[in-house]
Structures are given as structure tokens and as C-alpha cells.
Amino acid sequence: MVVIPLSAMAAPYAALVIDARTGEVLHATNADTRLHPASLTKMMTLYIAFEAIERGEISLDTVVRVSAKAAAEPPSKLGLRAGQRIKLRYLIRAAAVKSANDAATAIGETIAGSEAAFARRMNRTAKALGMTRTTFKNANGLTEEGHLSTARDMTQLGRHLLYDYPEYYNLFSRRTTDAGMREVSNTNRRLLDAYRGADGIKTGYTRAAGFNLVASAERGNERVIATVFGGRSTATRNAKVAELLDLGFRRAPSSAPLRKPSAPRYVAPQTAGKTIRLITAVKKSLRPQARPGQAAPAPVLLAMKDDIKDALAEAAAPAPATEAPPATTPKMRPSDLVMASAGNAQADAVEAVAEPEVVTRISTSGGRHWGINVGRYPSRYAAERILLKTALTEMTTLDGSLRKVVNRKGGFDANFMGLSRESADLACRRLQARQVMCFMIGPG
């Protein structure tokens, strides 16, 4: 018996064609067979990158430091060097157009911290998108045990890219693009040039996978997505995809209602080392202790004030006739003379009486010591942006609250402060019902 290595065998064939407007299947062959997706994987890498940008986790102008692992990925690659710094926008272009493996790995590491962590996020997102038979192990699609998908799942992912992030979809139709280091050409340019209405989406090739392609084309009001796994060459794969797209346009109705797929629930990534403590109501309300200080002297000083007045009146009164001194005329006391002892005592008494007594710290917040946290973001701008967006979304319960950005070690916390416990709880529950991450922040 002769054992033929898997890499030398023809890759299994699978195909699926759908009406992109409705998701209706127009043709299927082995559509649910788990196969190697190759660089079709990068569609998920890019989908998560678009999501991270949209949600403020990162920006197109974020400067990425290329790791040694990313730089060492085999071709197709952009040619990144370990330690090199490059903007995220160029990595996205290289991954989408050039299908660069090093760029895809760098994107994943930047968003999730490591490629393994990014693969876990890819799998969570795939599950949320309804890709039930897909498992990702890396960000670029290089052959790895267990890294598998299906024609149906990849078609579904292509449809989500089209409708969930239309502002980025034009990347897939560019024949060339500036990738920062150099101009790169589209791996799908032959089909884009040859097939009328074609505008994407992604090619893929490894020995184990064969020649794969998810293609989309639009003619008039009709849009069709066709996926092929296991092509034998670029030319035969493109010919098969063109044939399937033609089939799709023949079978798709000329007019159909647009039913966009539902975007998946966004789960904000937890920042490493971030601990959020939920503070609930205290079991016992303690009376505040009096602030240390001297006892109020007001009663004693008031009594002294009366004694001083009496003493001054008595001193000014004339002596009785029986005790009159020898006939001498005393000099008149100057009108501007102030008695030191009496004057100082009077001044001290009045000042002491006028001084207010501080009992304790009195709150004017009306019990609005609570707040909510709607996430931690890499920049102050991103935090302020999500605060404004959330405030506009939930105007009823957040009305009158204070938007506050707090600079933490791991990023910028976006908080709404100045809420009562009830309004904070209600706001969080309403936001969570809209799939917005929210945690209550207690007093202190």
C-alpha cells in the first residue's frame, strides 16, 4: 500500500451560492463539509478589526509594534520586520488586498494581546454570527490542526462583512493599495477585472485547502455571493466561481426585499488586570462621628459679655455723695480712648459669637452618589465618544448625570456619575438590554 500525503492529494470540493439580499440558498455542494479555509480566515480577522475600530477599542491610526512571531510568518507577506512600527490602517489594507500573513497576525496580536487570545475571540464571534461548523486557531489561515470551516459558514461571514461594515467593504475591490511600506496588488484582481459587477471578497490558498474564493457581484438590483473550496488552480477556480455567479443571477429574482443579517452581540473585551467591584447598599447606616475640635464656647462668652457691660456701666456711674473725694475736677477722658482689657474682651466675645459652628459635612447631592461604567477604552477620545453615544441612546435615565472619563493604568474608564442607586440600576439594565456593557459604581 502506498500512502499519499494529504498535501499531495486534491483538496475536497465544496460550493455555495446565495442571494445576498435575502440569504436564500441558490446552489449548494458539500456546503457543510468542514475543510481548510486558508486565507478566507482573514475575513474574520478583518471583521473583528472593523468591530474593534467601530467600538473604540483601537483606531486606524494606532501605531502597531510588529512582534517577532508576526514578522516570521511565511508568505504571502508584506515583509514586516520585528520591532517595526506601522499604522493599523496599512496592516488592514495588506491583509485585505495582499492577503499578507504577517499583517494578519500583527492585527490579531494588537487587538487581543496574543494570537491565541485573538483566536478565542474569532471563535466567539463566529458562534455569534451563526457559523456553527467553524473553528479558528490563528489569524491568517495557515494550515493548522483543527482550523476548519465550511462553504456555508464562509459565505455567511462574507455577507456580514458586506452589510455590517459597508464603509470598509470597498477595500476588497481595490486592485492596488498603499500598504505603508509599498504598493500591493489584489490577489483577486483577475476575477475583479474579468467578471462584470464583481467587487470582492477574498481569496485563499494552501496545499491542504486548494484554491478557495468567496466572491460577490452586483448587477442592477441583484447581488449574489458564491463560495468555492478546493479549486485546482487560480484559473479553474475563477472559472468555476464565474459559472456559479451566473447561475446565481439566473435564479435570483429581479426584485427582492433586502433583509440584512442581524449584527452579532458585542461583548467588550476585558482589560487585563481590570477588576470591577460592585458596591451594594450597606447593611447598617452609621451615624457620622463629630469632627474633633473644641466644644462650642458660645454660652460662656455670652455671659462674659453681659458682665462686661455691667462692669462698664458701674465704672461710669458717679460715686455716692457721702463718699465724695476732695473737690477736684478730673480731666475728661479722651473720646478715642479704648480700654484694652474691656475692648479686647468685647471683640473676642463678639467674634466668638459670630463664628459659625460646624456640625458635620452635609451632602447636597440628594443621595445621588452612584454611577455606571460603560467600558474602558484605549484613548480619552474613544471614552468620550462612547459616553456621548450612550447618553443619546439612554436619555431618560441618564438625564442630569455627569459624564466623566477617568484615566486608569489600563486605559480610560467611561463613567456616568451623580445617579441614585435606583436610576443607576435602571440605566444599567436598559443598556444591557441593548447589548451595551454596563457596571454599577457604588459610593466611595
Side-chain angles (χ1 to χ4, degrees), residues 38-39 41-42 73-76 101 138 140-144 147 205-206:
S39 285
T41 299
K42 295 184 180 76
E73 296 288 12
S76 172
N101 295 322
N138 58 58
N140 49 44
L142 290 169
T143 303
E144 188 171 340
H147 187 98
Y205 168 77
T206 62

Side-chain angles (χ1 to χ4, degrees), residues 39-60:
S39 285
L40 302 187
T41 299
K42 295 184 180 76
M43 290 195 298
M44 178 60 79
T45 299
L46 292 164
Y47 186 93
I48 294 175
F50 302 153
E51 178 185 60
I53 294 167
E54 183 75 14
R55 297 290 182 168
E57 297 177 46
I58 202 168
S59 78
L60 286 169

Side-chain angles (χ1 to χ4, degrees), residues 13 18 47 65 78 85 139 210 226 241 291 355 373 434:
Y13 171 80
I18 67 168
Y47 186 93
R65 186 179 185 277
L78 181 60
R85 296 183 181 276
V241 167
R291 183 174 295 178
E355 183 180 355
N373 173 278
R434 293 189 177 97

